[in-house]
């Protein structure tokens, strides 16, 4: 590169990424092919609109590329193009969720979403997000005892509040979600059911987590987490008389976005093909085995694992333990000093501030990409325990 300043930063970041143990559950390492496609000359092209209905000329290849990406997205999740549509243009996860609300819910109507402290995402209607300013969040959490979803309570809340849309699928919830129960609740109160599978999409694709497609009206997902693609997002919508797909397409463009990032779409297409390979199934299953090994060992070593374990790629750990341990912020910093990257995180029933919460969130997708297995994660757990114990003093 001619620009040495940026080149040096890229090299430094490459070195950092290689050196650390990365336990951030929403990160991953993409293939060289994904990077090549992402950085390709497709990035030079303006393609406002959709295939065969654009606002600029010169779309021979962009149209083919976007159609290929859509076909691969549907194939990966075994969806028939007759029953499901997919939009591959969202720039990332939060805009994808915003587009769904914009397309399907009137301003001021209610969106039922999980609170941030219990494991929800900002874009599920939190006050500080535009999604909580334009729409009214009906917040829900987890059962204080089990730290898992209580479907009876959810149903009660939904029947009282009558939200227009219910969001299931979270950012820091380690357990499986019963999508069938959510469908029943949505039907009972007359709401759309949207599943945000950003965190566990790769596990669904690999058969290591229940599929939401049997029950949801709309499914959103980022592409850069367990799907192991470049940053971006997908919105799947059920095709029927309600014309959800048309409304969502309109919300993305011209509602929210201008030209799609075609280089990004090229990278997503490459990743989606990689994800259909048999090896990806093995990868997805290994992610969960590794997370269980990590959680089990940390619990054995005396740390409190939220909900008592995990069914997915992530674990939430109470490091504060009512003052017997250390705050999440200190835990994150101490681990980073020792080459382990994770993020501080609120825990259900949080008593501290989100800037210095009671726990940390850890996940296994990135290190599983690097070939780590259960025994490696047992060793990582022991290392974490040693670092945090020393930090308590
Ligand atoms: N930042 C993502 C995560 O880490 O879960 C959500 O936006």
């Amino acid at each position: 590169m001619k620009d040495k300043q940026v080149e040096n930063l890229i090299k430094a970041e490459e070195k950092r990424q290689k050196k650390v143990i990365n336990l951030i559950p929403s990160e991953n390492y993409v293939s060289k092919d994904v990077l090549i496609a992402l950085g390709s000359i497709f990035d030079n092209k303006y393609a406002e609109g959709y295939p065969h209905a654009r606002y600029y000329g010169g779309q021979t290849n962009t149209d083919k590329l976007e159609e290929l990406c859509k076909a691969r997205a549907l194939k990966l999740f075994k969806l028939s193009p007759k029953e499901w549509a997919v939009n591959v243009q969202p720039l990332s996860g939060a805009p994808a969720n915003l587009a769904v609300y914009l397309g399907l819910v009137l301003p001021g109507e209610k969106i039922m979403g999980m609170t941030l402290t219990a494991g929800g995402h900002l874009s599920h209607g939190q006050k500080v997000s535009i999604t909580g300013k334009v729409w009214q969040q009906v917040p829900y959490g987890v059962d204080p005892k089990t730290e898992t979803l209580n479907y009876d309570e959810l149903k009660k809340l939904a029947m009282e509040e009558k939200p227009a849309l219910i969001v299931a699928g979270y950012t820091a919830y380690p357990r499986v979600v019963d999508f069938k129960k959510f469908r029943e609740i949505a039907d009972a109160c007359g709401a759309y059911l949207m599943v945000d599978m950003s965190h566990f999409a790769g596990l669904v694709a690999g058969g290591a987590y229940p599929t939401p497609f049997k029950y949801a009206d709309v499914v959103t997902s980022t592409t850069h987490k367990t799907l192991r693609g470049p940053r971006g997002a997908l919105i799947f919508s059920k095709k029927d008389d309600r014309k959800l797909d048309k409304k969502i397409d309109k919300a993305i463009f011209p509602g929210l976005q201008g030209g799609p990032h075609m280089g990004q779409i090229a990278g997503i297409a490459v990743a989606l093909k990689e994800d259909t390979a048999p090896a990806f199934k093995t990868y997805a299953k290994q992610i969960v085995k590794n997370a269980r090994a990590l959680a089990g060992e940390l619990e054995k070593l005396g740390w409190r694992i939220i909900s008592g374990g995990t069914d997915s790629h992530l674990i939430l750990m109470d490091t504060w333990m009512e003052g017997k341990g250390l705050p999440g912020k200190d835990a994150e910093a101490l681990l980073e000093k020792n080459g382990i990257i994770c993020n501080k995180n609120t825990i259900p029933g949080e008593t501290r501030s989100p800037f210095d919460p009671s726990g940390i969130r850890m996940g296994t997708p990135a290190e599983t990409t690097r070939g780590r297995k259960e025994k490696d994660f047992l060793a990582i757990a022991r290392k974490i325990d040693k670092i945090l114990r020393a930090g308590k003093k």
Side-chain angles (χ1 to χ4, degrees):
M1 269 177 88
K2 284 201 194 102
D3 185 333
K4 291 298 160 201
Q5 263 181 309
V6 172
E7 186 179 40
N8 288 340
L9 284 172
I10 292 172
K11 283 189 177 150
E13 176 60 12
E14 195 179 355
K15 211 165 138 193
R16 185 198 69 80
Q17 288 191 14
K18 278 199 177 130
K19 207 171 63 185
V20 299
I21 294 174
N22 184 6
L23 298 183
I24 294 182
S26 45
E27 291 185 7
N28 216 325
Y29 299 107
V30 301
S31 70
K32 283 224 167 70
D33 284 2
V34 166
L35 287 179
I36 290 169
L38 181 65
S40 69
I41 37 75
F42 268 117
D43 202 50
N44 295 336
K45 189 70 196 108
Y46 246 117
E48 270 173 301
Y50 289 102
H52 313 292
R54 310 269 192 193
Y55 291 83
Y56 295 78
Q59 306 292 348
T60 333
N61 302 310
T62 40
D63 280 358
K64 282 185 191 145
L65 176 67
E66 190 166 340
E67 282 174 335
L68 180 67
C69 188
K70 284 157 84 91
R72 287 183 176 179
L74 294 175
K75 184 174 172 207
L76 178 62
F77 293 100
K78 301 185 179 66
L79 304 173
S80 150
K82 284 198 188 107
E83 288 168 24
W84 286 87
V86 60
N87 188 310
V88 299
Q89 293 192 4
L91 302 179
S92 205
N97 290 345
L98 178 56
V100 175
Y101 311 148
L102 189 65
L104 307 185
V105 188
L106 289 172
E109 283 190 333
K110 293 177 180 174
I111 290 171
M112 186 163 146
M114 190 184 267
T115 60
L116 207 56
T117 49
H121 189 253
L122 283 167
S123 65
H124 295 175
Q126 316 296 331
K127 269 272 177 302
V128 290
S129 147
I130 178 113
T131 62
K133 297 187 199 300
V134 175
W135 297 277
Q136 247 190 91
Q137 192 198 42
V138 176
Y140 66 89
V142 290
D143 186 280
K145 273 212 181 92
T146 61
E147 296 174 317
T148 58
L149 292 160
N150 179 331
Y151 297 94
D152 293 333
E153 287 297 321
L154 287 177
K155 185 164 184 187
K156 227 163 76 193
L157 182 67
M159 294 311 283
E160 272 164 28
E161 297 282 351
K162 296 270 173 2
L165 182 144
I166 300 176
V167 184
Y170 317 100
T171 245
Y173 184 76
R175 296 306 193 164
V176 287
V177 176
D178 190 334
F179 299 118
K180 186 167 183 266
K181 287 219 172 101
F182 265 106
R183 177 74 266 162
E184 287 160 13
I185 295 168
D187 283 343
C189 72
Y192 290 116
L193 176 60
M194 175 184 121
V195 174
D196 179 347
M197 64 168 185
S198 295
H199 262 265
F200 52 85
L203 304 183
V204 173
Y209 195 91
T211 176
F213 288 101
K214 268 197 225 159
Y215 305 106
D217 299 299
V218 178
V219 177
T220 60
S221 179
T222 48
T223 45
H224 47 274
K225 297 186 177 87
T226 44
L227 283 178
R228 213 160 55 181
R231 284 177 186 280
L234 309 168
I235 306 174
F236 297 89
S237 43
K238 233 178 173 166
K239 273 185 169 171
D240 55 32
D241 296 345
R242 298 173 297 173
K243 303 214 179 316
L244 306 180
D245 54 329
K246 301 280 178 261
K247 291 175 187 168
I248 288 168
D249 282 356
K250 256 196 190 159
I252 282 286
F253 176 83
L256 275 177
Q257 298 183 180
H261 294 182
M262 293 313 297
Q264 185 185 36
I265 290 174
I268 292 171
V270 171
L272 293 172
K273 184 162 183 206
E274 290 173 355
D275 298 350
T276 51
F280 193 79
K281 282 201 172 62
T282 315
Y283 166 65
K285 290 189 175 117
Q286 192 63 50
I287 288 176
V288 180
K289 284 186 206 162
N290 287 348
R292 286 200 168 124
L294 180 64
E297 190 68 5
L298 283 166
E299 195 163 45
K300 254 198 233 157
L301 292 164
W303 297 94
R304 195 174 84 79
I305 304 300
I306 302 303
S307 82
T310 181
D311 307 318
S312 66
H313 63 304
L314 74 82
I315 74 172
L316 255 186
M317 186 166 102
D318 179 356
T319 54
W320 177 238
M321 297 199 293
E322 295 176 329
K324 293 196 285 289
L326 71 172
K329 190 175 166 189
D330 292 356
E332 178 195 295
L334 264 175
L335 290 171
E336 178 156 3
K337 242 193 215 161
N338 289 278
I340 298 177
I341 311 294
C342 69
N343 65 273
K344 59 180 177 289
N345 217 95
T346 52
I347 61 170
E350 184 59 69
T351 51
R352 300 173 58 86
S353 123
F355 298 105
D356 188 10
S358 301
I360 55 174
R361 187 183 68 153
M362 293 175 274
T364 54
E367 292 303 322
T368 307
T369 292
R370 286 175 153 167
R372 290 196 202 269
K373 299 265 169 39
E374 289 98 314
K375 66 169 182 3
D376 305 306
F377 278 92
L378 295 179
I380 290 172
R382 291 193 279 269
K383 192 169 171 190
I384 291 170
D385 173 63
K386 211 168 142 195
I387 296 164
L388 296 186
R389 253 171 226 290
K392 271 204 303 192
K393 286 173 205 155

